[in-house]
Amino acid sequence: MLSLLSSLLSLLFVFLISCCIITNHFSFRPLSLLKLLGVIKFTASRDDDDHYKRDEGTYVVGEEELQRELMPRHVAVIMDGNRRWAKREGLLTSQGHEAGAKRLIEFSELCFKLGIHTVSAFAFSTENWGRHKIEVKCLMSLIQHYLKSKIQYFQREETRVSIIGNLTKIPESLRQTIHEIEEATKGYKKKHLILAIDYSGRLDILRACKSIVHKSETGLIREEDVDEAMIERELLTNCTEFSSPDLLIRTSGEQRISNFFLWQLAYTELFFSPVHWPDFDKGKLVEALVSYQRRERRFGCRV
Amino acid sequence: MDLNQSMRLLSSWIAQIGGLGLDLLWRFIHLVVSLWYIVSGIIEAVESYAISLGLNKKYSSINIEKLRCLAVVVDIEEARDVSKVIELLQWLRTIGVKQVGLFDSQGLLKKSKDLILGTVPGSVLSEEIGEKDSSPEQNPLALEFISSSDNKEAVMKAANILLQDYLKSSRPENDKGENFFTETHLNEALRVVGENVHAPDLLLVYGPIRSHLGFPAWRLRYTEIVHMGSLNYMRYGSLLKAIHKFTGVHQNYGT
């Protein structure tokens, strides 16, 4: 009786799969399973924190399976929506940014647990200097506070921290803290957190050109030696082995890259999430990773 | 012993029934999710056809003036079917788009340039706009054909030009090029190399993955990027919806 019921359900399942294949003709975007299954937990043996290795090759987080070999090596994130989140919650802008900072720590922790090597975050853009002075001051203080208070945490987690950007305009105290944390964590190789502060993609490219000019003046290179690889080596992302992100996540529903990693994002999978950054939790990250693992990336070549 | 055996048998049955129950629950969940997926897909398709037929008044008038330059990225596999690209361009002309940049990483569309220009009515190369005294078309569709060689390779060539100019120029000894290597200078150098530096307002990506596939990076600073799915299954309604959504976007530009 039970096996008959099970067989009927399986047949129904096959029928539905056929319907799904037919409706694929209409080129639907697949509905995220996690949105509907968010409150339903499949009972299975699990470790703490609801994620574990099912076998050597996969991670199971909630209801989704992530393949270890398909995990991106470098995930970049544009942390958009702190102010809108704060407004929605009836909080101050500074509290929104603080929630965003906490979210970044959790996000990077989870990424590293899932085997991602490099996480880079767009913390402050060159254009952000145009914001209200008090907000800018608050942001600089927040960044300094978090970097200073987390030095031991990053050492314990063996995570290398690098800060990239035009650091000439930031407060001296923050610059010292940056130097401190970079020195304290420079020896770690397995996990790398990159914070982009006062960063502009265009200025990064220009800076690379200037660096090449200085090298040519000292006779280290000739004019004809300048090629794409050389420019790439001079970009600020040369601090990591994987300078081009495999996946870029931008929150708050905005669908643009806003002058972040312009050169590096040529073949990066772009994932635009409608939620604000402080709300971008584990489920949303898994959604992004599942979406990434389902794509077939050809890097411009025919496979 | 009998009691132990009975207990073992009972717990074995309970485990099997429990496992089957969970299995059935899981299949039921899949059923619900699949039904939801199908229904939402049908709704989306119906909405798209309604937009195409002009039944949805929200999309009947679009402030197309806000969209000065549109770029379309096509996956190389899909770029082989030029007829689809031509159909897309005809739709864009109908909507009122005036300037379109077509990109595929390997330059397949560049090779089909003559066919596209000959087939899409009112289309001209964007370089030719303004060169002719009077265009036979009142509202020509300016087309630009772009490939990967216009991305990093172009920046590399422009960087070489800047390098040569800098080395040849007479400058103070302690000049580190701060006033020489600016965005304006690189823009100029890119123009010398023959590149268009005009940034598209909206980038539509047609292909299996959400990536701009190497579209000229220098131009993408504030461009809205929308993934449209496969070119083979493109719909006029979806195109109109994407453009309409863009016209409602407000950018802070970081401030």
Side-chain angles (χ1 to χ4, degrees):
Chain A
M1 179 72 175
L2 286 169
S3 60
L4 179 65
L5 194 56
S6 186
S7 307
L8 278 171
L9 277 170
S10 302
L11 275 170
L12 190 58
F13 198 53
V14 166
F15 166 73
L16 284 167
I17 287 173
S18 314
C19 288
C20 292
I21 292 167
I22 292 165
T23 52
N24 256 336
H25 171 76
F26 295 105
S27 138
F28 302 141
R29 289 205 183 94
L31 181 70
S32 164
L33 279 173
L34 286 173
K35 283 183 187 168
L36 290 182
L37 299 175
V39 295
I40 301 171
K41 298 246 180 226
F42 180 65
T43 306
S45 59
R46 53 182 84 217
D47 283 342
D48 53 333
D49 294 334
D50 288 349
H51 61 261
Y52 65 101
K53 279 192 204 175
R54 176 170 283 168
D55 54 40
E56 282 303 310
T58 59
Y59 290 98
V60 176
V61 184
E63 293 73 39
E64 292 292 342
E65 248 185 44
L66 296 169
Q67 303 291 327
R68 181 204 275 262
E69 67 270 14
L70 296 178
M71 206 63 79
R73 292 167 306 182
H74 180 171
V75 172
V77 62
I78 299 177
M79 305 178 291
D80 198 9
N82 292 339
R83 293 189 293 183
R84 277 168 280 177
W85 178 87
K87 192 177 175 184
R88 192 192 72 199
E89 300 291 319
L91 300 171
L92 301 171
T93 302
S94 57
Q95 289 172 304
H97 289 307
E98 183 140 2
K102 279 186 192 148
R103 180 58 69 194
L104 176 61
I105 299 295
E106 288 161 12
F107 174 87
S108 55
E109 194 179 324
L110 183 57
C111 283
F112 295 138
K113 268 187 187 166
L114 291 173
I116 295 165
H117 179 273
T118 305
V119 172
S120 47
F122 202 7
F124 191 89
S125 74
T126 302
E127 288 80 14
N128 288 156
W129 288 114
R131 290 190 178 184
H132 198 277
K133 279 183 186 168
I134 295 173
E135 186 184 347
V136 170
K137 198 174 172 185
C138 161
L139 274 166
M140 291 293 136
S141 301
L142 182 71
I143 294 170
Q144 184 176 343
H145 164 74
Y146 262 85
L147 287 178
K148 210 168 180 71
S149 63
K150 292 288 180 189
I151 291 180
Q152 285 181 357
Y153 164 79
F154 287 122
Q155 283 178 315
R156 202 167 52 241
E157 296 293 320
E158 295 185 5
T159 304
R160 183 182 167 195
V161 178
S162 299
I163 285 82
I164 62 172
N166 174 23
L167 303 179
T168 53
K169 285 166 78 175
I170 61 172
E172 176 61 32
S173 53
L174 176 54
R175 218 174 301 140
Q176 278 177 6
T177 305
I178 286 170
H179 177 75
E180 216 176 299
I181 197 169
E182 283 186 334
E183 278 300 306
T185 60
K186 67 181 178 186
Y188 304 125
K189 294 191 191 314
K190 288 187 181 167
K191 302 175 202 169
H192 197 171
L193 175 64
I194 299 173
L195 288 180
I197 297 175
D198 193 6
Y199 179 87
S200 157
R202 280 194 172 186
L203 293 180
D204 195 6
I205 295 170
L206 279 167
R207 195 198 139 277
C209 295
K210 274 188 229 174
S211 176
I212 289 167
V213 164
H214 295 147
K215 285 186 176 171
S216 73
E217 279 187 315
T218 54
L220 287 169
I221 55 167
R222 298 166 297 179
E223 287 174 28
E224 54 269 25
D225 289 339
V226 180
D227 58 10
E228 285 179 34
M230 183 173 288
I231 293 180
E232 210 147 308
R233 280 195 295 273
E234 299 300 325
L235 293 170
L236 289 170
T237 42
N238 60 6
C239 59
T240 173
E241 191 186 338
F242 310 110
S243 57
S244 295
D246 299 296
L247 173 65
L248 171 78
I249 297 168
R250 180 171 184 154
T251 53
S252 277
E254 306 299 340
Q255 298 186 170
R256 50 188 178 265
I257 55 182
S258 293
N259 208 11
F260 183 51
F261 284 1
L262 291 180
W263 181 280
Q264 297 88 333
L265 290 178
Y267 299 103
T268 303
E269 172 79 10
L270 308 173
F271 185 83
F272 299 116
S273 174
V275 305
H276 297 311
W277 173 244
D279 287 332
F280 194 81
D281 57 14
K282 181 170 70 178
K284 304 293 182 293
L285 171 59
V286 170
E287 196 180 322
L289 291 172
V290 165
S291 171
Y292 169 81
Q293 293 198 349
R294 282 187 188 146
R295 301 291 179 185
E296 184 194 330
R297 295 165 79 214
R298 292 195 285 259
F299 299 94
C301 303
R302 191 179 186 185
V303 173
Chain B
M1 288 295 288
D2 285 338
L3 185 63
N4 281 340
Q5 276 179 349
S6 305
M7 287 300 293
R8 260 186 256 124
L9 200 60
L10 185 64
S11 40
S12 166
W13 280 353
I14 290 170
Q16 278 185 16
I17 290 168
L20 191 59
L22 286 170
D23 186 43
L24 288 174
L25 177 64
W26 186 242
R27 287 173 196 273
F28 177 71
I29 291 167
H30 270 276
L31 182 68
V32 168
V33 170
S34 301
L35 279 172
W36 182 275
Y37 170 81
I38 290 166
V39 167
S40 66
I42 290 170
I43 290 171
E44 198 180 311
V46 167
E47 187 195 11
S48 180
Y49 285 119
I51 294 169
S52 307
L53 295 170
L55 298 174
N56 194 329
K57 287 187 181 147
K58 185 176 155 191
Y59 300 99
S60 55
S61 64
I62 293 180
N63 180 17
I64 203 71
E65 296 305 319
K66 197 175 174 186
L67 182 58
R68 287 160 298 181
C69 178
L70 171 76
V72 175
V73 168
V74 183
D75 182 68
I76 47 160
E77 288 304 316
E78 298 182 358
R80 293 173 201 281
D81 186 1
V82 184
S83 60
K84 281 287 179 188
V85 174
I86 289 171
E87 192 181 352
L88 177 65
L89 289 172
Q90 285 167 341
W91 286 354
L92 288 170
R93 189 150 189 272
T94 308
I95 293 170
V97 176
K98 292 190 173 55
Q99 192 174 350
V100 177
L102 285 172
F103 172 88
D104 71 281
S105 56
Q106 294 194 350
L108 297 175
L109 295 176
K110 261 185 190 173
K111 290 173 189 164
S112 311
K113 183 169 63 177
D114 293 331
L115 171 65
I116 292 171
L117 287 168
T119 315
V120 177
S123 61
V124 294
L125 276 177
S126 55
E127 298 99 77
E128 290 172 10
I129 295 273
E131 280 178 13
K132 297 178 180 171
D133 289 335
S134 62
S135 168
E137 281 287 338
Q138 292 221 336
N139 292 312
L141 175 66
L143 294 181
E144 185 195 353
F145 294 88
I146 316 162
S147 66
S148 288
S149 62
D150 302 302
N151 184 18
K152 295 182 179 181
E153 208 179 302
V155 171
M156 186 261 297
K157 285 179 190 167
N160 266 311
I161 289 174
L162 287 182
L163 171 60
Q164 285 163 21
D165 290 348
Y166 176 77
L167 292 173
K168 285 176 197 163
S169 68
S170 53
R171 61 201 181 279
E173 229 175 77
N174 58 353
D175 181 9
K176 292 182 183 175
E178 297 298 328
N179 298 321
F180 205 91
F181 288 91
T182 63
E183 287 186 36
T184 312
H185 286 105
L186 191 49
N187 274 341
E188 268 315 304
L190 282 166
R191 285 196 188 100
V192 166
V193 167
E195 296 302 323
N196 182 355
V197 296
H198 195 74
D201 301 299
L202 176 62
L203 182 82
L204 301 178
V205 178
Y206 284 95
I209 64 165
R210 270 185 305 236
S211 164
H212 62 70
L213 301 176
F215 188 90
W218 188 256
R219 298 169 65 180
L220 277 181
R221 193 163 50 156
Y222 297 118
T223 305
E224 285 285 308
I225 302 170
V226 180
H227 181 234
M228 302 293 288
S230 170
L231 193 67
N232 296 325
Y233 306 128
M234 63 179 187
R235 291 196 300 272
Y236 182 77
S238 302
L239 179 63
L240 207 58
K241 198 173 169 185
I243 294 176
H244 180 267
K245 190 181 172 196
F246 163 76
T247 58
V249 162
H250 169 72
Q251 280 213 39
N252 285 331
Y253 300 99
T255 57

